[in-house]
Amino acid sequence: MAEFPPELRYLKSHEWAKQQGDVVVVGISDHAQDALGDVVYVELPELEAECQAGDEIAVVESVKAASDIYAPVAGTIVEVNAMLEDSPELVNEAPYANGWFLKIKMSDSAPVEGLLTAVQYQALCEAEEH
């Protein structure tokens, strides 16, 4: 059974966002990593790259498919998870811990409030399975 941590916000495209002050940590959900299968490569953005909410900012590749990762908020990429370069399997092993992708310094305040709650996202995932 997939995990849906209640402290996170989610996108319909299966990213999660965790706000820490004016920075948002971004990864893919447990549901998404399970659907992808074994992750073999993660393409991360350049530091200091600007993005708008909804922009394609990274790519995750698995044995099954490649999927784009979308920005949940507008801002500047301030950190990427370098561990994923050598250990992309962290996305499968710990999608909400060591498997995070990047951090975005927000250009506006409180945009994560408009994202899905864990309950809303879980309902979306369950609807997709039927």
Side-chain angles (χ1 to χ4, degrees):
M1 183 80 181
E3 292 181 41
F4 303 92
E7 69 276 12
L8 303 178
R9 292 295 183 135
Y10 302 85
L11 282 77
K12 291 179 181 175
S13 51
H14 304 290
E15 293 82 5
W16 58 262
K18 180 178 184 180
Q19 187 169 349
Q20 298 175 323
D22 63 351
V23 173
V24 173
V25 184
V26 181
I28 62 169
S29 72
D30 189 27
H31 174 82
Q33 71 77 23
D34 187 54
L36 278 170
D38 293 338
V39 172
V40 294
Y41 178 72
V42 177
E43 181 181 319
L44 297 168
E46 295 292 320
L47 286 177
E48 301 302 318
E50 300 285 327
C51 63
Q52 297 300 315
D55 284 358
E56 295 174 9
I57 53 171
V59 177
V60 59
E61 293 182 19
S62 72
V63 292
K64 293 182 185 177
S67 297
D68 292 321
I69 304 302
Y70 298 95
V73 297
T76 304
I77 308 296
V78 292
E79 189 175 342
V80 296
N81 187 351
M83 291 189 302
L84 297 182
E85 290 177 17
D86 295 325
S87 304
E89 69 277 4
L90 290 172
V91 174
N92 295 115
E93 295 168 4
Y96 301 119
N98 292 337
W100 62 275
F101 283 47
L102 52 96
K103 296 181 181 180
I104 301 171
K105 183 176 173 74
M106 295 183 290
S107 57
D108 49 18
S109 58
V112 295
E113 298 307 314
L115 301 177
L116 299 172
T117 65
V119 171
Q120 292 168 323
Y121 178 67
Q122 185 171 359
L124 175 83
C125 292
E126 289 169 358
E128 284 180 358
E129 292 172 2
H130 296 291

